[in-house]
Amino acid sequence: MIREFLQSDVTPSSFLLPITLQFMRNFVLLLIATVGSFTLMYGQDFLSVNDPIVINNTCVQFQNNAGGNQHTSAWVDQAIVFNDIATPTLIVRDFEIYLGNTGEFSQGLALVIQQEGTTAIGENGGALGYGGTTGGISPSLAFEIDTEHQAHDNAGGSDHLALHDNAGFNQAALAGGPVILPDMMDNSFHQLTLRINWDPTTPANQYVEVELDGTYRITYNTELANYFDLSLPVYIGGTSAPVGTNPNYARASQGIPGSVGTCSSFSLPVEFLDFEAQFQSPNKVKLDWSTASEVNSDFFEVERTQDLTLWQKVGKVQSAGNSSTLKSYSFKDPVSFNGRYYYRLKQVDLDGAYSYSETVSIDVETLPMEVYPNPASDMLYVSTQYLSDSYNKLRLDILDMQGKVYQRLSVSPSADKAVEIPISELRPGIYTVRLSGGVNEVWTKRFMVN
């Protein structure tokens, strides 16, 4: 277990925040704090959840909130165990944040102090402790920067800073909040400083505090034992819920704005203007995107997911390389299942460095095959009416969940008659109908046998 403590008479270092994609990755960062007559030097691990975008290994861009419930988050995977800190200590962390440059709907950002529990740290918005400590949710203190312009927290619909315990954002704010803020979606980088004052000798001196841009502040005087088991790890992290177009993204990095490694200390090699998805019958999703400028760009990889966890590379498009004018690109992705699809672009530079676009989503509900009844028992019907004008013959397979083929038929599409398939000999379970019209034209649907 790695533990961090900064003595109150030590100037806090600026930290870098590399976040992994879908898994934890070690990034050794030497932190130096003078304690007595010796220097502590140690590495850090970092953890991200549901794949925030990583820029230059130091800046996090939170994914679009298409999945709901603030599904991406970033956590410093470094424990603070208060009972292991024997002397009065001020723990300080500086963050740089960017909340967008448009009035489009966005929920802002939450900076959270959370106990590790049965729910993964930062698993989604719910894992921030929302609703209390029941159901495996961990205790937390959450500082919310709200840009949603909703009238909760008694803020009257204004941007505001508020503190909530157990992330009960719809409950009354603590510590006399909320504090009314100016427009935070102002195309500017802001400094967010978290302070935790730990005093094991005089618990009445303990407090947590967040300060925004050195002006807006909430200080909550409370004994930390009121919220956390002081013998167990406590983590610092956060979540955000950008919604809408690319300018509406939210970013965060550790350190004072403009310091090395923060989001504002570099420019992106590719400036995206838009990224859109639309369905094209019978079974393709067409992706279109454009860039305003490119510097040493090599190519784009198109990635797709249906669960916002496992991303699959589905294509590659060469980029312009260097350009200061509008460039447009497109890609068509064959899809096999009805449902919601998510797409993103991995932009790769000539030197191998990469960054990600925003995520776009599309609902597909019109694949050219109907399977009924579902569940089925004796007879299954497969309608191919939407393909009757395009194909003379199709191959139809019935497969189990392990991919074993139980039946294989050659069928002729019909506009008015479904294919009848006896299934009484199939064991109860889940199966797949696979209809093939060619090498790249495959449609699938699952059904259940009672």
Side-chain angles (χ1 to χ4, degrees), residues 17-28 44-48 54-58 77 354:
L17 181 58
I19 305 295
T20 62
L21 299 178
Q22 302 177 19
F23 56 87
M24 196 187 312
R25 179 178 64 195
N26 288 343
F27 178 90
V28 176
Q44 282 187 307
D45 291 336
F46 294 90
L47 174 67
S48 69
V54 181
I55 304 171
N56 285 13
N57 289 332
T58 62
D77 190 34
Y354 62 89

Side-chain angles (χ1 to χ4, degrees), residues 63-338:
Q63 292 281 39
N64 188 282
N65 198 42
N69 202 23
Q70 303 194 12
H71 59 275
T72 64
S73 57
W75 295 83
V76 182
D77 190 34
Q78 185 175 39
I80 300 171
V81 181
F82 291 108
N83 276 353
D84 288 355
I85 306 174
T87 59
T89 301
L90 180 64
I91 301 168
V92 180
R93 281 198 180 277
D94 285 304
F95 296 89
E96 177 189 80
I97 60 173
Y98 177 94
L99 297 179
N101 62 1
T102 171
E104 198 169 6
F105 171 77
S106 179
Q107 294 178 344
L109 181 145
L111 179 63
V112 183
I113 310 165
Q114 181 173 319
Q115 190 102 62
E116 183 179 27
T118 57
T119 302
I121 291 290
E123 181 178 302
N124 51 43
L128 297 179
Y130 186 88
T133 58
T134 60
I137 303 300
S138 306
S140 66
L141 289 170
F143 290 90
E144 171 198 42
I145 300 176
D146 196 333
T147 60
E148 192 177 343
H149 297 287
Q150 287 189 345
H152 73 282
D153 305 320
N154 299 317
S158 302
D159 285 10
H160 59 272
L161 172 67
L163 171 64
H164 303 272
D165 57 2
N166 299 321
F169 296 121
N170 290 318
Q171 302 170 12
L174 301 174
V179 173
I180 304 301
L181 302 175
D183 180 16
M184 296 301 295
M185 300 181 70
D186 58 356
N187 199 29
S188 299
F189 291 92
H190 298 271
Q191 182 176 353
L192 186 64
T193 300
L194 171 68
R195 303 181 183 94
I196 305 175
N197 192 60
W198 166 247
D199 189 342
T201 60
T202 311
N205 292 337
Q206 296 172 12
Y207 65 85
V208 293
E209 179 180 82
V210 153
E211 184 178 79
L212 183 61
D213 294 336
T215 302
Y216 308 98
R217 183 184 303 108
I218 285 184
T219 304
Y220 185 38
N221 294 287
T222 184
E223 295 183 23
L224 296 176
N226 291 336
Y227 291 96
F228 307 112
D229 184 332
L230 303 180
S231 66
L232 297 178
V234 174
Y235 294 86
I236 297 171
T239 185
S240 183
V243 178
T245 59
N246 193 50
N248 207 38
Y249 55 69
R251 289 180 180 167
S253 50
Q254 287 202 46
I256 298 172
S259 60
V260 176
T262 55
C263 296
S264 61
S265 64
F266 59 87
S267 59
L268 293 177
V270 170
E271 182 183 356
F272 287 98
L273 283 180
D274 55 54
F275 182 28
E276 298 177 346
Q278 59 179 326
F279 182 74
Q280 289 190 336
S281 182
N283 69 321
K284 290 182 173 64
V285 173
K286 185 174 184 288
L287 303 170
D288 294 287
W289 67 95
S290 60
T291 63
S293 62
E294 299 181 25
V295 179
N296 295 326
S297 178
D298 192 0
F299 58 87
F300 300 97
E301 288 184 353
V302 181
E303 296 184 356
R304 178 186 70 198
T305 184
Q306 283 194 275
D307 60 8
L308 287 171
T309 299
L310 180 63
W311 289 87
Q312 174 188 7
K313 175 186 172 182
V314 295
K316 178 180 176 180
V317 177
Q318 204 67 33
S319 59
N322 291 281
S323 172
S324 58
T325 61
L326 176 68
K327 297 294 180 182
S328 299
Y329 304 88
S330 64
F331 178 81
K332 293 183 179 181
D333 178 36
V335 293
S336 300
F337 290 95
N338 284 333

